[in-house]
Amino acid sequence: MATNPAVTFTWNGPQFVAATKESVKDGLLAAGVVLLRSMEKTVGVNGGGIPSAPGEPPRKQQGNLFKSLHVQEKRALGIVRVGTNYPVGRWMEFGVPNIKPKRGRYLAIPLNKKAQRMYAGLGGASLRTKNLTLIKSKSGNLILVEKTPGGKIKKNGAAFVLKDHVTIKARPWVWPSYNKARTDMQNTFRNVTWAGITRRTGLARPGVK
């Protein structure tokens, strides 16, 4: 009478689950990098001092939003965050109604690149420390303009318009970046995750020899 051959197998379930979890984390991080690149492309368009229209992604002026973009991974928790801690990023995405000055009567809004550079170089100091004078435009706006050492208005100098409040209209950039990158993120996640599983366990992806 014939006997059935002995069959043995080894169960490596916990090891496989652990390998899969680590591979999924690899995939999440890789997908996050894809989203980061899409965000950089969206906000990296040089504005040349001309702001984008409301509803369009913000253009790159001083580059602060662009430079603040990053990927943060909390691997132990399986979390990947992509974005910025720069407050302007949120303002651009959702808009901000009725911004009023914290001190004084007016907000000084830069009107040209020289004014932007002057404002960026204040380091927390007041515009009162700069050689500026106040004029009124034909339309009735209050304008701060740069003076020469002799006290005359400097040609092509820094200029600011004074407003008692401003409204920043939304210029979404996060969701447009995600929508453009979504398919690439999904493919990258799938490919990197399976590559990790294969590397860690030797199990080939179904349909791939």
Side-chain angles (χ1 to χ4, degrees), residues 35-51:
L35 178 56
L36 173 67
R37 298 294 174 249
S38 181
M39 288 179 171
E40 290 175 338
K41 187 175 181 180
T42 298
V43 303
V45 178
N46 192 347
I50 301 174

Side-chain angles (χ1 to χ4, degrees), residues 50-189:
I50 301 174
S52 61
E56 296 181 355
R59 294 173 179 168
K60 185 178 178 182
Q61 305 296 345
Q62 298 176 356
N64 294 325
L65 176 57
F66 179 87
K67 289 181 288 188
S68 72
L69 297 175
H70 65 281
V71 175
Q72 180 188 57
E73 181 188 27
K74 293 186 177 181
R75 193 170 183 89
L77 300 176
I79 294 174
V80 172
R81 293 190 175 101
V82 185
T84 176
N85 293 325
Y86 186 49
V88 172
R90 177 182 291 273
W91 300 347
M92 292 291 100
E93 183 70 16
F94 301 108
V96 185
N98 201 26
I99 301 174
K100 296 182 179 180
K102 293 182 178 179
R103 297 189 301 271
R105 293 178 58 190
Y106 298 106
L107 296 165
I109 313 301
L111 293 177
N112 54 23
K113 285 187 176 180
K114 288 187 177 180
Q116 291 174 354
R117 288 194 292 267
M118 180 182 289
Y119 195 84
L122 285 174
S126 170
L127 281 174
R128 297 176 186 274
T129 62
K130 300 298 181 180
N131 192 24
L132 301 170
T133 189
L134 183 65
I135 64 172
K136 182 178 286 189
S137 70
K138 292 181 180 180
S139 60
N141 287 316
L142 297 177
I143 310 292
L144 277 177
V145 292
E146 190 174 5
K147 295 187 298 184
T148 66
K152 296 182 179 181
I153 295 176
K154 188 174 183 179
K155 186 178 180 180
N156 299 323
F160 302 81
V161 62
L162 300 184
K163 295 289 184 179
D164 59 4
H165 72 279
V166 296
T167 293
I168 298 176
K169 295 185 178 180
R171 291 167 170 80
W173 58 279
V174 175
W175 279 110
S177 299
Y178 170 74
N179 288 331
K180 291 177 182 177
R182 180 169 52 187
T183 298
D184 194 12
M185 290 171 64
Q186 291 170 342
N187 292 335
T188 297
F189 172 78

